[in-house]
Amino acid sequence: MLKWLAVVLVALLALLQYRLWLGEGSVRELADVGQRVENLEAENAPLRARNERLAAEVVDLKTGLDAIEERARNEVGMVRSDEQFFWVPDAGDGEAAQ
């Protein structure tokens, strides 16, 4: 009887070891999931940085007129009534065309 108990316990131990190393939720699967998490975190890092920049720009646009003025100058080319605008072409463009 003790012999059968030992065989059953060894078989149970082998089954548990199989599940630990190769079955569902195994050590290998845990390592794969950890690697996928690291890859996704690496992909998300630039997106988080972009979101933070956009959020800061939204706050700046909501609170200050300086950001609105800067956008109007850069994107639309607006100038104040008391300013003079001088456009100087880039010297590098002329050399590249020749």
Side-chain angles (χ1 to χ4, degrees), residues 7-24 26:
V7 169
V8 169
L9 289 176
V10 168
L12 184 61
L13 180 64
L15 178 66
L16 290 175
Q17 286 294 314
Y18 172 79
R19 288 201 57 199
L20 175 66
W21 297 106
L22 303 173
E24 184 179 339
S26 64

Side-chain angles (χ1 to χ4, degrees), residues 37-89:
V37 167
E38 289 177 15
N39 291 341
L40 291 174
E41 287 291 333
E43 288 178 20
N44 285 340
L47 298 174
R48 281 194 184 108
R50 186 194 70 187
N51 286 346
E52 289 174 6
R53 283 193 310 270
L54 289 174
E57 186 175 346
V58 166
V59 168
D60 194 26
L61 287 171
K62 284 183 177 180
T63 59
L65 294 177
D66 292 337
I68 296 171
E69 182 179 343
E70 179 184 349
R71 280 204 138 176
R73 288 175 179 273
N74 291 335
E75 295 178 7
V76 186
M78 296 182 79
V79 294
R80 291 184 184 162
S81 60
D82 60 342
E83 292 180 330
Q84 292 182 352
F85 176 72
F86 297 99
W87 178 68
V88 180

